[in-house]
Amino acid sequence: MTVGTNSSPGAAKAAGAPVLATVPQLAAPAARVPVQQPQGAPAPPSQARSAPEDADGHGEYAALGIDPDDLPDGLVIADATGRVICFNSAAARITALVAGEALGLGIERALPLEDLEGRRWWALTDPYGGLATRRGQPERNLLLPGGREVLVSARYVRTHPKGPVRRLVITLRGTEARRRTERSHAELIATVAHELRSPLTSVKGFTATLLAKWERFTDDQKRLMLETVDADANRVTRLIAELLDISRIDSGRLEVRRQPVDISTAVGRHVQALTANGQAPERFLVSVSRPLPDLWADPDKIDQILGNLLENAVRHGEGTVTIDVTPTSFANAAGKTEKGTAVTVTDEGPGIPEESMKRVFTRFWRGSKRGGTGLGLYIVKGIVEAHGGTITVGRGPGGGAEFRFILPVGAPAYLTQ
């Protein structure tokens, strides 16, 4: 980060603003311009030091314990005359400009920004000559020479309300994170559109056929069509529920309604449902190590976790599906050891390639082409973490996929006090 000043006492007086006692100076002395004081004015203690002392961390930022180079966003500060006095390393990286060359320049030359319509942004906003009631500019997309896009916001620091601007503080952010979010949203919309098209087409086709030719079909044919419509409607309902879960997880609004849960009973219920739907009972092996600690969790969310993991094991795996339920201890987010319950679901299929394991819990990841939205494991991870637990993926003893999640006891505070 390079810091300096080019403001003179005369210019500051002309602007009606007092000369500041300190200017942030944290870089090499060669990149700074020394601060000048009016003749006869006593220097405050913080400024009475030599320039090399200030470069060692003294000044406005050092007094706050902040180094501008430690900030994740770009920071550019101009003085009362519009000269750049701070240009941190993040700003240099984002703008691809040389920090040392920007110091001392007018803000319009250091950051020749234009809006998306090609208009000069500084001329439009006029921070020093515009309305004195303004406090800054909200973040917006602007362009640097060469078409480089940056997110820019500005803050006008005034000596007093409606007074002249004594500091212009600009923050800069790259657009990569926003573009990744936009791409993710576009992928989500495309996936939803694709997944909805098939069942809705089926529902529309069967209902239109039944309405037009009801008398021509036998009762068995009508029943088959209505069962197909019902299954497709359930598929649409499930997709909408997944979208709502993703929205709550991403916004941090996923609610967990804790109550006592018997995890072994929940596992047995899901295995019975799968066997009732045609899976061979001998394909499942359930092992429960007792005694298990009490578990306070959201029973509906636990069913969602178990249903997704077991369905994945049945659909994408092969051989025996083993479910182990054991007591365990683990380090929580605060680093303290906590009791919990571990559930491991293992199959004997081909497993997940090593290079794909880091992407298993991301959106749209699919282990095979056997259907699915690729959202289930992302939701499972969000639910487990909302309970304060952890989930991992690995390779089982038989070479298949192994998913293991741990849930803490999660008892209400009034039971633990």
Side-chain angles (χ1 to χ4, degrees):
M1 190 276 299
T2 312
V3 180
T5 180
N6 229 17
S7 59
S8 64
K13 289 180 179 179
V19 177
L20 295 183
T22 57
V23 173
Q25 297 178 346
L26 297 175
R32 297 192 316 273
V33 180
V35 178
Q36 300 179 8
Q37 289 290 330
Q39 293 183 354
S46 61
Q47 195 184 15
R49 303 182 182 92
S50 63
E53 290 178 329
D54 284 346
D56 289 334
H58 299 290
E60 291 177 354
Y61 292 108
L64 298 174
I66 300 173
D67 182 348
D69 277 345
D70 293 335
L71 299 176
D73 296 336
L75 176 66
V76 180
I77 302 177
D79 64 9
T81 66
R83 300 284 179 178
V84 174
I85 59 174
C86 175
F87 202 96
N88 75 347
S89 58
R93 172 178 51 80
I94 293 170
T95 61
L97 301 175
V98 178
E101 296 178 359
L103 285 177
L105 295 178
I107 190 65
E108 293 188 23
R109 290 183 58 196
L111 286 177
L113 298 167
E114 295 182 352
D115 65 12
L116 301 182
E117 297 179 2
R119 298 174 297 184
R120 295 169 58 193
W121 193 60
W122 297 114
L124 289 175
T125 58
D126 191 13
Y128 293 96
L131 292 174
T133 56
R134 297 177 306 165
R135 301 180 63 183
Q137 295 292 332
E139 186 176 73
R140 64 192 65 198
N141 281 34
L142 297 175
L143 300 176
L144 287 167
R148 189 181 184 89
E149 190 173 355
V150 291
L151 298 171
V152 181
S153 60
R155 173 81 174 184
Y156 305 156
V157 181
R158 303 179 186 275
T159 308
H160 54 82
K162 298 185 180 181
V165 175
R166 69 179 181 88
R167 285 287 187 270
L168 175 61
V169 181
I170 303 106
T171 59
L172 307 172
R173 292 197 300 133
T175 59
E176 293 80 6
R178 177 173 290 187
R179 290 189 183 279
R180 284 195 298 269
T181 301
E182 291 174 351
R183 283 197 299 268
S184 179
H185 288 166
E187 290 174 357
L188 181 61
I189 292 172
T191 299
V192 171
H194 175 75
E195 293 294 330
L196 285 175
R197 184 184 297 115
S198 177
L200 290 179
T201 300
S202 172
V203 168
K204 176 62 178 176
F206 279 121
T207 53
T209 301
L210 287 171
L211 287 173
K213 303 177 181 179
W214 179 266
E215 298 82 4
R216 300 186 185 181
F217 295 109
T218 65
D219 289 344
D220 289 340
Q221 290 173 326
K222 293 174 183 177
R223 182 178 182 84
L224 177 61
M225 291 183 182
L226 291 174
E227 286 177 346
T228 304
V229 168
D230 182 64
D232 287 331
N234 289 338
R235 182 177 167 188
V236 172
T237 302
R238 179 175 177 178
L239 178 60
I240 292 173
E242 288 181 343
L243 294 176
L244 291 174
D245 285 336
I246 287 177
S247 173
R248 296 187 184 105
I249 290 170
D250 289 346
S251 62
R253 295 186 292 108
L254 186 66
E255 293 185 5
V256 176
R257 303 179 186 275
R258 296 183 185 272
Q259 56 184 280
V261 173
D262 187 337
I263 191 72
S264 60
T265 300
V267 169
R269 187 171 60 250
H270 280 273
V271 170
Q272 289 177 359
L274 289 169
T275 56
N277 287 333
Q279 294 295 325
E282 58 271 14
R283 187 176 181 188
F284 300 95
L285 176 61
V286 179
S287 173
V288 180
S289 300
R290 299 185 185 275
L292 294 173
D294 295 332
L295 176 62
W296 287 72
D298 189 321
D300 293 334
K301 299 292 190 295
I302 297 302
D303 283 337
Q304 197 170 350
I305 295 170
L306 293 173
N308 192 288
L309 295 181
L310 290 175
E311 183 180 337
N312 281 348
V314 169
R315 179 185 296 178
H316 305 293
E318 299 173 1
T320 302
V321 176
T322 303
I323 306 102
D324 288 317
V325 184
T326 58
T328 188
S329 298
F330 72 106
N332 58 22
K336 297 181 179 179
T337 302
E338 189 173 354
K339 290 183 179 180
T341 302
V343 180
T344 306
V345 179
T346 309
D347 63 65
E348 297 177 343
I352 300 172
E354 194 73 28
E355 63 273 12
S356 299
M357 287 188 179
K358 293 182 180 179
R359 298 186 289 110
V360 165
F361 297 109
T362 59
R363 290 183 185 181
F364 312 118
W365 184 85
R366 302 185 186 188
S368 68
K369 297 181 180 179
R370 300 182 188 177
T373 60
L375 301 174
L377 290 175
Y378 177 82
I379 294 172
V380 164
K381 184 174 185 288
I383 293 174
V384 170
E385 291 180 346
H387 281 81
T390 60
I391 184 168
T392 57
V393 61
R395 190 170 294 278
E402 178 182 277
F403 288 89
R404 175 183 170 88
F405 68 91
I406 301 175
L407 297 176
V409 171
Y414 69 86
L415 292 179
T416 59
Q417 293 176 347

